[in-house]
Amino acid sequence: MKKAMENAKASYIKAASMSGLTREARIFKARIAGRSKAHLDKVFIEGAEQSEAFQEACLAALSDGRERPAMPDPQPFQTVQTKTETVYTYVPAEFAKEMYALGSLYQAVSISLNEALKLAQEVADKVSYDIGIEEPFVAVQFLRDELEESLSATEEGESAKTEAKSPESNL
């Protein structure tokens, strides 16, 4: 397990330091970018899931007159399932901390869905730049899908209301 974590970190560093646009370099960087995307998504979810416990700890500290606790740090390594195996992933701590904080802020409704998407994409852009891929990967696609679904449901509801009011619908 320790070796797998060391390999994940070494792979990220190798991707970030590779120069040249050989086919092998592009493939390797794309693989590490995919793993980094999955890593950041998991860290966002982790921040959201742990947000409630953190908020409760802050309230307890406030009511007891203690100092507010520090926000927990995300796990530096995550596991993701590839097509064939489970692998460890790594992204530098500053990126993981940003994404974790965004998940927590989104869950606590301190930022809107659109703000969460925008800020999460900024983190993904930084990681993409760090790795050196040409097109930044898309962060938190699951939230984008959720937004699209809610917009579609709203549009369908609006469309049904319009049809019900339409004089032709009474013919």
Side-chain angles (χ1 to χ4, degrees):
M1 186 164 97
K2 182 108 172 119
K3 185 75 174 155
M5 290 178 186
E6 289 170 4
N7 288 342
K9 186 173 182 176
S11 291
Y12 182 95
I13 292 167
K14 177 181 175 183
S17 64
M18 286 177 107
S19 59
L21 296 174
T22 65
R23 182 174 184 274
E24 291 78 20
R26 285 194 317 271
I27 290 169
F28 186 75
K29 285 175 178 275
R31 181 181 323 123
I32 299 307
R35 291 178 181 180
S36 296
K37 175 194 180 320
H39 184 105
L40 291 176
D41 285 355
K42 285 186 90 169
V43 169
F44 183 94
I45 292 166
E46 190 178 285
E49 289 175 345
Q50 295 175 5
S51 173
E52 189 175 333
F54 176 66
Q55 295 301 325
E56 288 173 9
C58 289
L59 289 173
L62 182 65
S63 68
D64 294 344
R66 293 180 283 126
E67 257 187 61
R68 176 186 166 144
M71 178 177 269
D73 285 333
Q75 296 299 314
F77 296 93
Q78 298 287 336
T79 56
V80 297
Q81 183 64 44
T82 67
K83 290 179 184 171
T84 57
E85 62 185 333
T86 300
V87 297
Y88 277 92
T89 61
Y90 168 85
V91 296
E94 69 263 22
F95 302 131
K97 285 180 181 181
E98 278 186 71
M99 195 61 92
Y100 183 90
L102 289 174
S104 181
L105 290 169
Y106 175 68
Q107 186 66 28
V109 197
S110 297
I111 59 173
S112 70
L113 175 58
N114 286 330
E115 286 175 292
L117 290 172
K118 178 182 171 289
L119 295 170
Q121 189 57 50
E122 287 176 8
V123 176
D125 292 351
K126 290 180 206 173
V127 173
S128 298
Y129 178 76
D130 194 41
I131 295 170
I133 57 173
E134 290 179 31
E135 284 292 317
F137 57 82
V138 177
V140 292
Q141 183 64 48
F142 60 93
L143 278 183
R144 295 170 197 284
D145 295 343
E146 196 177 289
L147 176 62
E148 196 172 295
E149 279 179 28
S150 70
L151 290 175
S152 293
T154 302
E155 287 172 6
E156 287 172 16
E158 292 299 318
S159 178
K161 286 180 190 174
T162 304
E163 287 175 18
K165 291 180 183 177
S166 171
E168 295 97 32
S169 65
N170 295 330
L171 297 177

